[in-house]
Amino acid sequence: MSTLGPDQAQVDYRLQEGAGCQSHHLVRGQKGGQISYRLAGDRPLMWIGDGLREVGLTPGTTLTADQHEAARALMDGRHPHTGQVLMKAKQAVDPRAMLPGGPLVDALEKVAAERGVAALVAGNKEMAKRAVRLARGVRRKGEAYVIPYDDARRLAKAAGVDLAAVYDSEQLAEARRWREARVRVGNRGYDLTLDLAKSVSVLHGLGDPVASAVVDEVFTASVIETVGAVQEWVAYGQRGHQGDGRLADRAPTGGLLGWMMWHQTARPVGDAMPDPHLHAHVSIANMVRGVDGKWSAIAAGGKDLHHHAHAADAFLKARLRRRLTVDLGVRWERDAHTGAWEIVGIDEEMRTRFFKRDGQIKELLAEHGLTYDEAHPHARKVASATSRQAKHRLPDGDRRADWHAQCAADGIDATSTLARCIHHGEGLPPRPSAQQIAEWIWRPGGGLTAHTKAVSHADVLAAVADACPDGVADLADLQVLTDAVLAHEPAVHLADAGARHLVNSARYTSTDILEAEQQVLGITRQRYAEGAALLDTAAIALSREAFEVAHNLTFSPSQRAALDRLLGDGHGVDALIGVPGAGKTMLMAAARAGWEGRGLVVAGAATAAVAAANLTAESGIGAYTLATWMQRITDPEGSGGRGLDGVDVLVVDEAAMVDDRDLAVVLGEAHRTGTKVVAIGDPLQLRAIGAGGTFAALHRQVDGLVLGENRRQRDPIERQALAHWRDGDRAEALRTWSRGGRVHAGRDATDTLAALLADWATVRTGYRDDVHVAGRAALDAARQIRARWIPDANDLP
């Protein structure tokens, strides 16, 4: 799912005839470096969406070359035949007409001070309010805050300020010249990509003509059904005010307006014939006509369309499974690695043969010492974008014959292999019960709440569709089944919150999430002030003073209060929030010294091995990964450990990153053994990979302390940027770093990510032969890249 922004080129690319059925070979496109990869035999563009009838177009018909202007008009908010503006595009003042706001604020403040008045613009209520907004914007964004020339002129006139004395003549003349110019902003539309499992594309591309035709027909029908489902879900407009605590009403409309581009192949790799890859791009205009006759943007500004993209993908695949099972007698099984439903008989070797793009991306990552599974998704994206740059012209040829020849070169008889995949005549496989589906979609470790606490009804629709080996009969079948599944445990319906104006926005979680939360908070309450690892006042003072002398430091008042609490309050579970650079690790070193001075055993835990190693190195607390502790707790015989037996204090570092279910297990074990647990973290820094968030509630439960003073950063730019980041103003934090020369950016996101990957590869070179040297080098490389690209990355939330 992607957004078509204000740039007309994005629309033009989706109408290119060079990317259509007139092309008999592949060439590099001329628009934005894209590859034109539709071949002869691909279908022409097709109009879709019932809303087309509102403007005299018929859905399901071919979008011909002489209708390209009509398509552009729709994406421009105009009637395709008359050119009448149906929905005005959002426009903004041309950036060339903008002036920096800071100098004007300085001038207004100077005049106000000279006149002895509090208001920046006295005597003009409207201009006074505008001046306040200007000053607020400058305080928030600094030099980045700009103001239109006309606004600046009116403010200056109202305050009696000479604008020519505020800005230099060239700057002022440029802004005056473009004062009436406007530029388009906002989205023209959206692109929804619908594709299939690789085995289906292989059957379509290499199967006999009859089977290939059936796959083509089924795919076409399934895509059209899916567009219909998307239309039923999100083809609405809005009426009324949205924001300021109010919700706009959803308004029914005549339907979506757009077209589809069909593809039968993937992007080319090298000189090889492109791989079979059946998919479609659905281009949807960002406007719908309400039943009241008014035109408006779709789906809450497109948010709901993105919200349902996963459900659309799952529905398409479920419908295709159902129809291909009935029409061709194929059977399905889940791929052990990807979890995707694949046709039985088209094994991984054959699928991989026609997944050259995936192989190319993996090879590129391997050149930089990374496997696909190890690589961050951003690195995969960079590799994908880099490998896409094919500039040559590919030869003409018979695709089907070429694909069969590729199989034969690997000793695969594609004809007989694919013939064995169809016409089994076993009918539809039995559908799991609603209870079985519920258990599957909420399964621990891989279900809907594996990495998040709450999911939407749209997420559940997608999961239910994917859970059916027999697919679904239609949208109504999926919706009825989803309701039945949600009636079973472990699904729990949550109270409405957040984006309630969206369709299918009802929120759900699973019972294990709630049980984990209840256990964490229940144990915390039970163990409050129980006297765990308790030192008396004199021992605390002696320990603190000895540590300060030994390390030639003086604790701040907040650090002293935190240390006194950890050693002297005796809570079985305690929590401490520390901002970046607040000295949390040094504080824990002092606490360790105090506890060990009284003969107590102190151990540590962290989600990552590097974090555990850092905790050990910097505080002297012997630490292991949380996974190691979990194994000791849940499988003491197999791990050779006895849970937390013998541990008096367990320090959990970066506790905000801990999965709630893991935290519940640890606290349950600590309750059994009487181990004091000290959770240290910051909910505004890195979040849990799994379903986390209870650390903040735990901290509130015990009325935990906060180390709020950044003692590490001395550079005022770093301190200011981190303060903005913690306040939630990410944009201003980045601007602050940028003004200080701390941000290095490429031409775009892909270029920047590519530079990051290149830096990583350069630093790693020469360290691949020795695994131990390579490990140390990887850490050094991370530090070097962090220093160049992300200032104080350890402190970034």
Side-chain angles (χ1 to χ4, degrees), residues 663-696:
L663 185 59
V665 171
V666 170
L667 292 191
E669 173 69 1
H671 195 191
R672 180 188 74 82
T673 60
T675 303
K676 178 184 181 74
V677 176
V678 178
I680 304 173
D682 184 357
L684 294 182
Q685 292 190 57
L686 296 174
R687 309 296 175 86
I689 295 174
T694 298
F695 169 74

Side-chain angles (χ1 to χ4, degrees), residues 600-659:
L600 300 177
V601 176
V602 184
T607 55
V610 171
N614 286 339
L615 180 61
T616 299
E618 297 176 15
S619 71
I621 297 173
Y624 301 94
T625 64
L626 192 67
T628 299
W629 286 110
M630 290 292 293
Q631 187 175 13
R632 288 167 57 102
I633 293 169
T634 59
D635 184 22
E637 295 183 3
S639 65
R642 295 186 302 161
L644 290 175
D645 286 337
V647 177
D648 297 300
V649 180
L650 180 69
V651 176
V652 181
D653 196 16
E654 297 181 348
M657 296 179 64
V658 177
D659 186 296

Side-chain angles (χ1 to χ4, degrees), residues 34-297:
Q34 297 289 336
I35 304 297
S36 301
Y37 60 108
R38 295 179 68 222
L39 295 179
D42 278 357
R43 297 179 174 205
L45 304 177
M46 186 179 82
W47 290 111
I48 57 96
D50 290 337
L52 291 169
R53 296 188 175 90
E54 305 279 355
V55 292
L57 295 170
T58 304
T61 60
T62 298
L63 194 168
T64 61
D66 59 3
Q67 291 179 315
H68 284 190
E69 283 306 316
R72 292 188 181 94
L74 288 179
M75 290 290 182
D76 204 29
R78 295 180 290 109
H79 195 287
H81 301 314
T82 67
Q84 175 189 357
V85 175
L86 303 175
M87 193 178 79
K88 290 184 178 179
K90 290 183 179 180
Q91 295 199 335
V93 175
D94 191 300
R96 291 167 293 187
M98 307 297 277
L99 293 167
L104 182 56
V105 170
D106 293 341
L108 295 178
E109 289 177 344
K110 181 179 179 181
V111 169
E114 290 173 351
R115 296 176 182 174
V117 296
L120 294 179
V121 178
N124 188 321
K125 187 175 181 180
E126 181 182 349
M127 287 295 103
K129 289 182 178 179
R130 181 64 182 93
V132 169
R133 290 199 303 272
L134 171 64
R136 188 185 302 126
V138 170
R139 284 196 303 272
R140 188 175 69 252
K141 295 185 177 181
E143 295 176 7
Y145 191 82
V146 293
I147 181 173
Y149 169 83
D150 281 340
D151 282 8
R153 180 180 56 81
R154 284 192 289 267
L155 277 172
K157 182 179 179 181
V161 170
D162 182 6
L163 211 57
V166 178
Y167 302 99
D168 67 64
S169 57
E170 290 185 7
Q171 185 180 33
L172 204 58
E174 176 75 358
R176 186 187 303 113
R177 177 185 175 191
W178 296 102
R179 58 187 287 192
E180 296 182 0
R182 298 293 182 269
V183 294
R184 176 170 182 145
V185 295
N187 303 329
R188 292 178 182 271
Y190 305 92
D191 181 287
L192 176 64
T193 301
L194 300 171
D195 62 4
L196 305 173
K198 177 55 71 173
S199 58
V200 179
S201 292
V202 171
L203 179 59
H204 176 259
L206 285 80
D208 66 65
V210 174
S212 181
V214 171
V215 174
D216 192 71
E217 179 185 353
V218 167
F219 176 64
T220 301
S222 300
V223 167
I224 292 173
E225 277 191 78
T226 301
V227 172
V230 172
Q231 181 170 263
E232 181 169 330
W233 287 327
V234 303
Y236 63 84
Q238 287 185 290
R239 301 291 184 269
H241 182 73
Q242 178 76 24
D244 302 322
R246 290 183 288 172
L247 297 177
D249 295 324
R250 289 198 298 267
T253 72
L256 301 175
L257 302 91
W259 65 87
M260 283 193 289
M261 176 188 288
W262 309 88
H263 289 170
Q264 295 184 8
T265 61
R267 294 180 183 274
V269 174
D271 293 324
M273 187 67 71
D275 291 331
H277 180 46
L278 195 58
H279 62 291
H281 292 275
V282 184
S283 299
I284 302 171
N286 186 26
M287 66 173 189
V288 283
R289 184 176 185 269
V291 294
D292 58 2
K294 298 179 181 178
W295 291 86
S296 59

Side-chain angles (χ1 to χ4, degrees), residues 776-793:
R776 290 192 296 272
L779 290 175
D780 291 339
R783 293 189 184 100
Q784 291 180 40
I785 292 173
R786 180 186 68 202
R788 166 171 165 74
W789 290 90
I790 311 175
D792 294 297

Side-chain angles (χ1 to χ4, degrees), residues 530-569:
E530 71 172 14
L534 184 64
L535 276 64
D536 60 46
T537 303
I540 294 172
L542 179 62
S543 174
R544 183 181 62 241
E545 291 168 6
F547 191 88
E548 288 179 326
V549 170
H551 292 81
N552 191 28
L553 59 83
T554 301
F555 285 123
S556 69
S558 62
Q559 288 177 319
R560 178 174 295 189
L563 183 60
D564 290 352
R565 172 183 170 124
L566 293 178
L567 297 177
D569 278 14

